[in-house]
Amino acid sequence: FFDLVLALIFLVLFFPLLLAVAYGVRRSSSGPVIYSQPRAGQDGRVFEFYKFRSMFQDSDEVLSSFLDSDPDARSQWTTYQKLENDPRITPFGKFIRRTSLDELPQLWNVLKGDMSIVGPRPCLLSQQALYGRHWSNYCAVKPGLTGLWQVSGRNRLTYAQRVRLDVQYIRD
């Protein structure tokens, strides 16, 4: 109930901001405004995860080529599952990621019941192996818009540290 009420309030309050960000995404590069991707949720159920698109449309090919040509980037990707200077991200995408405005469409995920306001961040299906024996812990709760990992260091933490924080949040 708390999640639904809060998500509705945020959607109403942020509606003008949602429109402004959608306009910015549309103007900055070609492609859809909203990006969706399958993610793992509670009980391992797969759901469509929504964000404002912050990357160029051919991002998978760009990432693959970039990682093949740069061993340091490959190492950074393996450790963090992120890149400090990601060539896939549009200039406007950098802004909405830095301010977390790209996350606003996830309020719809909360309304649909796929996510909660607070919980471990939804992970890619390919990241299940990175949780190892802790996967069942991750699947015990709904993923959230924000969680312990995000407020504890976010991009400065390794993926292994993210897993540890997710498990700590779930257990505590």
Side-chain angles (χ1 to χ4, degrees), residues 135-169:
W135 182 246
S136 61
N137 292 105
Y138 171 82
C139 292
V141 298
K142 284 183 184 179
L145 284 170
T146 190
L148 190 55
W149 166 70
Q150 284 189 300
V151 299
S152 299
R154 198 175 181 170
N155 295 333
R156 295 185 316 269
L157 301 178
T158 66
Y159 205 86
Q161 289 170 313
R162 171 187 170 166
V163 169
R164 184 181 50 74
L165 288 170
D166 284 348
V167 171
Q168 176 184 341
Y169 168 78

Side-chain angles (χ1 to χ4, degrees), residues 3-37:
D3 284 338
L4 292 176
V5 169
L6 207 53
L8 279 171
I9 290 170
F10 284 150
L11 278 170
V12 170
L13 287 175
F14 294 137
F15 187 72
L17 184 59
L18 286 161
L19 290 176
V21 173
Y23 178 77
V25 170
R26 172 68 70 200
R27 298 281 300 168
S28 69
S29 64
S30 63
V33 169
I34 300 292
Y35 172 78
S36 70
Q37 183 179 54

Side-chain angles (χ1 to χ4, degrees), residues 123-140:
C123 65
L124 298 168
L125 302 179
S126 63
Q127 294 170 327
Q128 176 179 346
L130 299 172
Y131 277 80
R133 63 185 173 85
H134 299 295
W135 182 246
S136 61
N137 292 105
Y138 171 82
C139 292

Side-chain angles (χ1 to χ4, degrees), residues 35 37 55-70 74 77 83 86-89:
Y35 172 78
Q37 183 179 54
M55 295 184 182
F56 295 105
Q57 281 193 303
D58 61 348
S59 62
D60 290 336
E61 294 83 21
V62 170
L63 177 63
S64 179
S65 174
F66 184 67
L67 295 179
D68 288 345
S69 67
D70 188 333
R74 168 72 65 190
W77 179 260
L83 294 172
D86 196 325
R88 303 171 297 167
I89 302 174

Side-chain angles (χ1 to χ4, degrees), residues 86-99:
D86 196 325
R88 303 171 297 167
I89 302 174
T90 68
F92 187 72
K94 288 178 185 174
F95 167 72
I96 62 174
R97 280 178 167 226
R98 187 174 53 252
T99 57

